[in-house]
Amino acid sequence: MKFIATPRSVQGSSASRRLRREGRVPAIVYGGKAEALNIELDHNEIYHALRKEEFHASILQMHVEGAKAAEQVLLRSVQWHPYKQQVLHVDFQRVDANQALHTKVPLHFLNAENSPAVKLSGAIVSHVTTELEITCLPAALPQFIEVDLANLLGGGVVHLSDIKLPMGVTYVVHGGDANPLLASAVVKGGGAAEETTAA
């Protein structure tokens, strides 16, 4: 995805408030060999972009007005207004093709409705983990990671070791949990046990 940015010369809280009143969003780009760059964005454009999952988990093409070429960046953080649908500030990080990234990628759960857990046991499938923190080179960054639940049984679980990560992608271990739980199938009211007893 691409977005357009304008260099921002004036800084400070009062300047940022003035920008927001004008429908603009202050932002910053950091990382790489260049200095941090203060920019501003069109609020409506960035607001709608932030509603798309791929904007959060893919390499973005930033076109800065006046620059000859686009820069590759990664969305790092977004500051929202406490109760308004308003973006207050955005942080981006420059991407180096030869330097590994650390970022979070969403999980897409597939085929739960066709699994034995749902069709035979009437289980409720719970998505325990919705995103994974990974490291990889920019060229290998996936927009999402698929978790196929087609073979999930009632009372069963799916761990990270049960899926195959894309080539070049490594899970970042936190808190010593190298094999986190991704999904589970909970049978409502012990239905599976009752069916077994009746049989």
Side-chain angles (χ1 to χ4, degrees):
M1 291 185 69
K2 67 178 182 179
F3 67 96
I4 298 171
T6 304
R8 175 166 54 100
S9 56
V10 183
Q11 300 175 46
S13 56
S14 60
S16 294
R17 283 195 296 270
R18 187 167 60 252
L19 277 177
R20 295 183 188 112
R21 285 197 298 269
E22 296 169 354
R24 308 290 289 174
V25 179
I28 190 169
V29 185
Y30 59 83
K33 296 178 181 178
E35 292 183 1
L37 174 66
N38 291 293
I39 57 173
E40 60 182 80
L41 311 166
D42 178 78
H43 182 273
N44 287 342
E45 181 184 356
I46 197 68
Y47 174 82
H48 289 293
L50 288 167
R51 294 170 67 101
K52 299 176 182 176
E53 184 183 75
E54 61 182 305
F55 196 80
H56 293 260
S58 60
I59 305 299
L60 307 171
Q61 302 294 323
M62 181 182 70
H63 295 266
V64 179
E65 291 181 2
K68 293 182 179 179
E71 276 194 84
Q72 289 192 324
V73 298
L74 193 65
L75 177 67
R76 274 310 184 193
S77 68
V78 182
Q79 183 183 349
W80 291 87
H81 191 280
Y83 55 88
K84 295 180 183 178
Q85 292 294 305
Q86 182 184 12
V87 185
L88 298 180
H89 195 275
V90 186
D91 287 11
F92 297 98
Q93 180 185 351
R94 291 185 182 91
V95 170
D96 184 336
N98 300 311
Q99 188 172 351
L101 297 170
H102 284 76
T103 190
K104 291 181 179 179
V105 174
L107 297 178
H108 282 192
F109 295 90
L110 308 176
N111 301 317
E113 66 281 358
N114 298 320
S115 67
V118 173
K119 298 190 95 172
L120 301 180
S121 304
I124 296 176
V125 177
S126 175
H127 301 161
V128 180
T129 303
T130 57
E131 60 184 12
L132 290 178
E133 186 163 352
I134 63 164
T135 180
C136 65
L137 288 174
L141 179 64
Q143 288 186 12
F144 54 85
I145 294 172
E146 292 185 348
V147 181
D148 192 350
L149 302 176
N151 298 317
L152 183 61
L153 301 174
V157 295
V158 177
H159 286 88
L160 178 60
S161 59
D162 297 318
I163 69 169
K164 185 176 178 61
L165 292 176
M167 187 176 295
V169 173
T170 304
Y171 170 65
V172 178
V173 179
H174 281 291
D177 188 2
N179 190 27
L181 178 64
L182 306 184
S184 63
V186 180
V187 179
K188 296 177 284 187
E194 291 170 8
E195 290 168 14
T196 304
T197 305

